[in-house]
Amino acid sequence: TMNQEESVARGCALQAAMLSPLYKVRDFKVEDATAHPILVGWMGSSADAEAKKEAEDGDTAMDGGEGEYKTAVVFPAGSQMNILKMLTFYRKGPFDIKAEYQEPSKLLPGTPKELGTF
């Protein structure tokens, strides 16, 4: 078993050896994954119904009522990190989007649920 410092040190040494022309090491693929599901949330409005567009090509329709807080899981637990997802919101006015963890009870104590507001 390794602790956090040993793991980081071993990873740095391995990456340096892979990049160096002086050493030959086997190629390794490092894939980072999310441990906790991440969702986006926003407040619904009556304009949503007017601006609503039918879901196409497997898109998820995100409609709701006036004043209803709506959410959608964007990155499920175990999904790869550093991937790009495009979200389209059909709105007629400005609004805020919150990115947050879906299950705050599974986070370490003191970790905030909210990741950011945009």
Side-chain angles (χ1 to χ4, degrees):
T1 62
M2 284 190 276
N3 63 26
Q4 295 169 346
E5 291 90 13
E6 291 170 341
S7 175
V8 171
R10 183 172 287 192
C12 290
L14 180 61
Q15 183 67 29
M18 287 171 32
L19 294 174
S20 174
L22 301 175
Y23 296 98
K24 287 193 176 211
V25 294
R26 282 192 277 160
D27 287 333
F28 288 90
K29 184 176 181 182
V30 178
E31 293 182 357
D32 201 3
T34 59
H36 305 285
I38 297 173
L39 56 85
V40 294
W42 65 97
M43 193 62 68
S45 72
S46 58
D48 289 349
E50 298 170 17
K52 179 182 166 187
K53 184 177 179 182
E54 292 295 323
E56 300 172 356
D57 300 327
D59 293 342
T60 303
M62 300 179 199
D63 54 347
E66 175 73 31
E68 180 183 347
Y69 186 70
K70 299 179 280 185
T71 62
V73 175
V74 180
F75 299 104
S79 62
Q80 281 189 333
M81 300 277 285
N82 297 327
I83 58 172
L84 179 68
K85 291 203 177 186
M86 186 182 321
L87 304 173
T88 303
F89 295 89
Y90 297 99
R91 302 291 298 243
K92 291 191 173 189
F95 65 104
D96 291 334
I97 297 176
K98 288 185 180 181
E100 55 193 6
Y101 290 110
Q102 183 180 22
E103 302 167 354
S105 61
K106 294 185 177 181
L107 300 174
L108 292 173
T111 304
K113 176 184 177 181
E114 189 172 302
L115 296 170
T117 301
F118 311 96

